[in-house]
Amino acid sequence: MNTITKPDLGMTLSPAEEAMLAGEMGPARQWAIGHQLQVGRMFDAADMVEVSQAHMMADPESLGEAGVSFVERFAALPHEQARVRVPMITDPRGVDLNYYDPLGQTEAMANLERRFVAACEKLGIMMTDTCINYQTIMPPVLGDHVAYGDTGVVIYSNSVCGARSNFEGGPSALAAGLTGRTPRYGLHLDEHRRATRRFFVQSQPQGLTDWGVLGAVIGRKAGSYWDIPVIEGIERVPTSDEIKHMGAAMASYGSTPLFHIVGVTPECETLADVDGNRLTAETVAASDLEALRAPFGARGEKVDVVVFAAPQLSLVEMRQVAELCQGRTIHPETAMLVCTPPSVYADARRMGYNRAIEDFGGKVLQGTCFYQQYAREIGEANGWRRLLSNSTKIVNILGGYGYTPALASMEECIASAEKGEIV
Amino acid sequence: MALKLRCHFGIGAAVEGEALVAADNFSARYDLDRVRGVFSRPQHKLSGRSYVDKILVMNTAKGGVASAWMLHEMASRAMAPKAILFNAANTILAQGAALANLAMCDRFDDGDVTALIRTGDRLLVEPELGLVTITNR
C-alpha cells in the first residue's frame, strides 16, 4: 500500500487516511482523524490500526449541552459523510426515558438524552446502552483490535477476551467509528501488554464483592494506565460475572486497562508468557483486602438507597437478585435500584425476574447505570446519602457525588434493604 | 531566572497560569463538582479547592472514561483548568484535552512533577515543544 509519512505528526498515513485528513470525506471524518492524530502523537503512535468495533461512553451529564451540540453537528451532515464505518454501540445512557421523573431527573435532562439518542441514530450507531457488551452483544476475540469506551469494558475485553483496546473516551470512540481505525499505541502493541507488576494472592475471593475488592486492591497498587498486573495464586477459574467485577474495580481504582491471571487469561498460560518471571512478586494478603473494605463498612446504620449497578447486571445476576427478593418486602424508608441493559431487561422480564424485584419494592432500570445518571442530582432530589452496593467500583466513585457509600455482598444488600439498615 | 522542565510533547496550545499541585490522582468524574468548579471528593488532597483557570499538576489519571467529554463540557462553560500536567497521563485525559483544546503534558525528564512544581508557581506550558517553564524561580 502506498503510504505517506507526515513529518509534522510523526505518523504514517494511508491514502484513505490522507483523504480524510484533507476533508475529502467530509468534515466529520476530517475532525475524527485530526483528533486521532493529536492523541496518537502524544503516545508515539507510528500509524493507525483498523478496528472491528467501536463502543462509546456518552451520558448526557458528561456531554452537557456542549457535547450534544458537537455530535448534532455531525448528525446534520449528509448520510455518506457521517455514517460510522464499523459497527458502533453505546455504553449506558443517563436517563431511562421510561422512568426518570420518579427519580428526580428533570425534563431538561431527558430532552438532552433524547437529542443525543436521535443524533447517534442518524450516525448509524446502535443504541445498545450497555457496559457488559462482552456478555450480551458481540464479544471481541483474541487479537481483535477494537475501540471501546468504559474502562470496565476495556479491561474485560483486553484481559479475558485477549482483544486490543485502549481506554477510548467518548470523543475518541466516536472518532474511531467515523474513521474505522484508531492510532496504534498503548494496548494495541505487544510491548504494552507485558506484565510490569506481579502479585501473589493469598486469600481466595468468595462472591462478586470479594472479586471486586481484590481487583480494587491490585488496581490501587498497580497505580497507572501503563502498569500491567500479572496475578498468581488464584485457585479456581472465576465466572464471567466474578472477573467482570474484578476488572471493573481494578480499572476504577487504578486506571488499569489489562491484567493477566496465570493459567486463566488467554495471553498468560505461564508466567513467562507475559515476562512475569522477571518480576518480583508482591503479596496481596487478607489484611490488604480488609483495609480496602474498612472505609466502606457501616453496620447498623440506616440505608437510604441500595444500588445494583457498575457494571450493569447480567441475566445471571438478575436471577440471583430476584431469588433473594422472593417473599420479602423492602423497608418503607429504603429505595433499591437495579441497572441492566435493555437486552437483559427484556429477557429478565420474560423470565419473571423483574417482577420479583419490583414485588419486593425495588425498581429495575433499563439501559442506564446509576453513577452515569446524574447521581448527584437524584441523590439530592431523594435525600439519599447512605448508599449501599455490592459493587466495589461504584462505592469508589460516589464519594465525590455527595454520597456516603458502603459495600456489602448481594445477599447482605437485599437483607439491608429489607431491614432499612446495614446488616 | 526561569526554571525549565522538559517533558514529552503534549496536546494543545501554549498557555500561562498559576500552578495548583497535589501528589494525588485525577478524574473529572470521581473528584470534581463541575458545576461549582471545585474538588469535591472528600479524600482528595485538593478537596474544596477551585481548579478553574489553574494549571493542575497531578500524579496520574484514574479510571473514568467520562473525563474526556467532561473536560470539553467544562471548557464550554469557562469552568475548566487552563492546563493539566501529569507524571503519566492516561489515554482518556489526553483525548479529552484534544477535544477541549486544553493544554496537557506528561513524562517529565527531571522526575516527579508534583515535587518539581509548587502550588502558586507561575508556569508557561508549551506542549508543542515539550517544555514547561517556571517563570517565578
Side-chain angles (χ1 to χ4, degrees):
Chain A
M1 188 201 299
N2 293 324
T3 57
I4 302 158
T5 300
K6 299 280 286 183
D8 52 331
L9 293 167
M11 287 179 69
T12 302
L13 300 184
S14 71
E17 292 156 2
E18 275 292 327
M20 284 189 253
L21 189 60
E24 294 169 20
M25 300 185 192
R29 295 188 219 288
Q30 185 178 34
W31 164 79
I33 196 133
H35 171 88
Q36 293 181 315
L37 294 180
Q38 279 191 74
V39 176
R41 180 174 183 261
M42 179 155 173
F43 295 115
D44 304 311
D47 61 0
M48 307 288 285
V49 58
E50 292 188 358
V51 295
S52 68
Q53 295 182 45
H55 169 263
M56 176 170 58
M57 181 273 154
D59 64 63
E61 180 201 340
S62 310
L63 289 157
E65 173 64 36
V68 173
S69 301
F70 179 80
V71 177
E72 282 178 332
R73 284 201 293 276
F74 295 153
L77 293 169
H79 182 74
E80 69 278 7
Q81 289 189 13
R83 187 171 174 82
V84 293
R85 297 174 65 132
V86 292
M88 181 160 178
I89 59 177
T90 54
D91 208 34
R93 309 295 331 132
V95 178
D96 178 342
L97 291 169
N98 296 306
Y99 192 85
Y100 58 93
D101 183 61
L103 282 179
Q105 292 180 313
T106 64
E107 208 54 45
M109 295 172 184
N111 283 335
L112 209 53
E113 180 74 280
R114 291 185 184 102
R115 282 171 53 196
F116 188 71
V117 171
C120 285
E121 288 172 347
K122 283 188 181 156
L123 298 175
I125 296 169
M126 294 182 277
M127 304 305 293
T128 54
D129 305 344
T130 180
C131 60
I132 54 167
N133 54 306
Y134 48 82
Q135 292 182 315
T136 57
I137 306 293
M138 189 162 78
V141 298
L142 183 66
D144 201 357
H145 291 276
V146 292
Y148 281 170
D150 192 299
T151 58
V153 170
V154 173
I155 193 171
Y156 190 105
S157 300
N158 278 328
S159 308
V160 182
C161 305
R164 296 185 169 222
S165 181
N166 286 308
F167 286 171
E168 299 273 11
S172 290
L174 178 60
L178 288 166
T179 64
R181 57 254 293 149
T182 195
R184 195 193 304 268
Y185 67 91
L187 277 294
H188 293 285
L189 301 170
D190 289 344
E191 62 258 38
H192 288 295
R193 302 182 68 87
R194 296 186 191 116
T196 63
R197 300 286 292 269
R198 177 178 169 187
F199 296 99
F200 190 90
V201 175
Q202 289 184 325
S203 176
Q204 297 303 308
Q206 308 289 334
L208 300 177
T209 308
D210 275 6
W211 283 93
V213 169
L214 176 61
V217 167
I218 291 171
R220 188 174 272 175
K221 284 176 182 280
S224 110
Y225 188 81
W226 307 100
D227 280 304
I228 307 300
V230 59
I231 303 162
E232 301 171 276
I234 299 290
E235 292 176 357
R236 70 171 173 84
V237 177
T239 67
S240 174
D241 282 333
E242 288 169 337
I243 206 164
K244 166 176 90 171
H245 275 266
M246 181 189 191
M250 200 184 299
S252 173
Y253 284 74
S255 194
T256 307
L258 164 68
F259 62 89
H260 303 291
I261 303 178
V262 179
V264 173
T265 55
E267 293 173 70
C268 186
E269 196 173 324
T270 70
L271 197 56
D273 290 345
V274 294
D275 288 350
N277 53 325
R278 299 178 187 176
L279 303 168
T280 303
E282 303 165 58
T283 299
V284 178
S287 57
D288 293 314
L289 306 177
E290 281 311 308
L292 190 123
R293 281 177 180 273
F296 301 118
R299 193 156 291 173
E301 287 194 22
K302 178 178 180 292
V303 58
D304 299 317
V305 60
V306 175
V307 173
F308 292 103
Q312 289 175 325
L313 274 65
S314 69
L315 189 62
V316 173
E317 290 172 296
M318 289 297 286
R319 184 175 68 174
Q320 290 165 343
V321 172
E323 287 179 352
L324 287 166
C325 287
Q326 292 279 2
R328 302 162 91 172
T329 305
I330 199 167
H331 190 275
E333 294 179 17
T334 302
M336 188 173 95
L337 297 173
V338 181
C339 296
T340 198
S343 59
V344 173
Y345 183 93
D347 280 344
R349 182 174 56 193
R350 188 163 51 85
M351 296 176 195
Y353 306 151
N354 295 353
R355 169 166 289 185
I357 292 167
E358 298 197 349
D359 284 350
F360 171 74
K363 177 64 191 172
V364 182
L365 300 175
Q366 56 173 320
T368 64
C369 192
F370 183 84
Y371 75 95
Q372 294 179 327
Q373 55 185 126
Y374 296 97
R376 180 186 306 282
E377 289 83 353
I378 64 176
E380 288 170 358
N382 292 281
W384 293 335
R385 277 196 66 80
R386 173 61 78 184
L387 175 144
L388 181 68
S389 179
N390 74 333
S391 161
T392 317
K393 172 176 177 172
I394 209 167
V395 300
N396 186 36
I397 297 171
L398 288 173
Y401 276 85
Y403 292 86
T404 312
L407 182 65
S409 69
M410 181 188 286
E411 293 79 4
E412 291 164 338
C413 285
I414 298 292
S416 300
E418 182 182 34
K419 194 172 180 189
E421 67 177 50
I422 298 174
V423 300
Chain B
M1 189 64 188
L3 192 60
K4 292 186 182 299
L5 304 175
R6 288 272 164 205
C7 57
H8 195 279
F9 45 69
I11 281 176
V15 65
E16 278 190 273
E18 181 186 330
L20 178 61
V21 186
D24 205 335
N25 301 325
F26 179 83
S27 162
R29 164 91 78 194
Y30 294 23
D31 296 329
L32 307 183
D33 180 334
R34 286 167 282 117
V35 175
R36 293 169 53 224
V38 297
F39 282 84
S40 59
R41 181 182 174 82
Q43 295 81 13
H44 200 280
K45 288 180 178 168
L46 297 175
S47 183
R49 301 284 295 266
S50 170
Y51 56 77
V52 176
D53 287 337
K54 295 288 193 291
I55 295 178
L56 287 177
V57 183
M58 316 287 287
N59 179 40
T60 189
K62 286 181 298 196
V65 167
S67 292
W69 286 121
M70 285 176 175
L71 291 184
H72 175 249
E73 192 278 333
M74 289 152 61
S76 77
R77 291 183 290 114
M79 290 290 279
K82 276 190 173 170
I84 310 180
L85 310 179
F86 286 115
N87 281 320
N90 76 354
T91 62
I92 301 298
L93 272 291
Q95 296 157 5
L99 185 67
N101 196 26
L102 185 83
M104 183 171 292
C105 293
D106 75 343
R107 285 163 283 174
F108 285 80
D109 290 352
D110 294 329
D112 181 359
V113 70
T114 69
L116 295 167
I117 298 173
R118 297 193 285 259
T119 291
D121 278 346
R122 296 291 307 175
L123 304 180
L124 170 62
V125 178
E126 296 175 280
E128 285 292 316
L129 303 178
L131 183 65
V132 174
T133 307
I134 306 176
T135 57
N136 59 301
R137 287 200 258 152

